Amino acid sequence: MRIGQRYEDTADPAVGERATGWEFAWLDGRHVGSEPTWSYPTIARALLRDAGSLLDLDTGSGELLAELTPLPRHTVAVESWARNTPVARDRLAPFDVPVLTELPGGEDEFDVVLSRHGRLPASDIVRLLRPGGRLLTQQVGSDDLAGLNHALDAPPAHRQPWNADVAVDALSAAGLEVTDVREERPPVTFHDIGAVIRQLRDLPWQIRDFTPSRYSEALARLDTFIRLHGGLTVTAHRFLVQAVRP
């Protein structure tokens, strides 16, 4: 059986339906990734301690925002992906947090804007932050998991670089004062080919034309490599930026 057919037909839960939000419990034991040395939730909680208002951009299914409770009295989340929006609304309803599908239209509304692995619309962030308001963002850089693309002879995931320097330039040009910048590339190890396939299905921008059948020969080679070596190790790409509106 060709590997593409094998993994299209498998009952392995790791290659089944795409995840909602950013919950990847199916990877437990099959994917080992190091986190950046910083803790985004810890930094976010410190910013929220004295904040009266919060905007969370691209909240996913709301799982991280719910972990940051207690939240400011005026908290708004934004999530435009139709698959996530109802899940986020259900999860955040107990905290009286509305989930919008578009950015708010006002000005000078929020003390803190958060964006973890979401959009970073610099001019809108400046518009929505109050003077003295703060932005915290953790981003997935354009080099993220590039080793998977290389291992499968696939084109790069991104045509343009997305890294701390690019983000800082955009935020500074919009009028924010950048106060903290960090960037790291922690290792990620895949222990079986099913975890690779599920990762690529859940993150369709990594290899945009990916299907197991289209990449069957490359997957077969990678499967052999993983079995011989016990895993494939590539690197993630994360960067964190904090900024303040003067």
Side-chain angles (χ1 to χ4, degrees):
M1 182 181 293
R2 293 181 297 106
I3 196 167
Q5 181 183 355
R6 172 185 172 190
Y7 284 105
E8 290 285 8
D9 297 342
T10 185
D12 184 344
V15 294
E17 187 177 1
R18 287 183 61 193
T20 299
W22 306 114
E23 298 174 334
F24 295 105
W26 57 267
L27 274 172
D28 290 349
R30 312 178 68 166
H31 163 295
V32 177
S34 300
E35 293 294 323
T37 55
W38 64 79
S39 168
Y40 177 91
T42 298
I43 299 171
R45 288 189 184 98
L47 289 178
L48 297 180
R49 197 168 293 131
D50 299 317
S53 53
L54 164 66
L55 175 65
D56 189 36
L57 298 178
D58 293 340
T59 196
S61 58
E63 63 272 24
L64 179 59
L65 186 58
E67 292 176 6
L68 297 179
T69 53
L71 298 170
R73 180 181 55 82
H74 177 47
T75 295
V76 175
V78 178
E79 178 53 49
S80 58
W81 188 29
R83 183 181 174 89
N84 276 344
T85 304
V87 181
R89 285 175 174 160
D90 287 345
R91 177 171 278 135
L92 296 174
F95 309 107
D96 296 321
V97 175
V99 179
L100 310 180
T101 57
E102 297 180 355
L103 290 171
E107 298 180 358
D108 304 340
E109 184 175 350
F110 297 99
D111 295 322
V112 175
V113 171
L114 299 178
S115 178
R116 182 182 182 272
H117 302 180
R119 291 172 293 169
L120 201 61
S123 59
D124 286 311
I125 290 170
V126 173
R127 169 177 62 84
L128 289 163
L129 277 174
R130 293 173 177 161
R134 295 187 173 274
L135 164 72
L136 170 65
T137 183
Q138 179 177 297
Q139 293 286 310
V140 178
S142 54
D143 293 338
D144 191 60
L145 304 181
L148 281 182
N149 299 64
H150 179 74
L152 294 174
D153 296 324
H158 305 281
R159 295 181 179 180
Q160 300 295 327
W162 178 237
N163 53 41
D165 288 342
V166 174
V168 166
D169 287 348
L171 295 170
S172 298
L176 292 174
E177 178 183 335
V178 174
T179 59
D180 186 18
V181 183
R182 314 182 200 186
E183 188 163 22
E184 295 180 0
R185 289 172 169 80
V188 178
T189 300
F190 293 89
H191 292 293
D192 64 74
I193 199 68
V196 171
I197 292 171
R198 180 60 189 266
Q199 180 85 27
L200 295 173
R201 282 183 165 174
D202 277 357
L203 306 179
W205 55 84
Q206 190 71 42
I207 299 178
R208 297 178 189 276
D209 66 344
F210 178 79
T211 65
S213 58
R214 181 174 289 126
Y215 281 85
S216 61
E217 293 184 5
L219 286 168
R221 292 194 300 269
L222 183 54
D223 187 33
T224 299
F225 178 91
I226 290 174
R227 292 175 187 274
L228 286 174
H229 298 277
L232 170 71
T233 298
V234 297
T235 56
H237 182 194
R238 301 287 184 271
F239 62 91
L240 179 141
V241 179
Q242 293 192 71
V244 61
R245 178 184 169 187

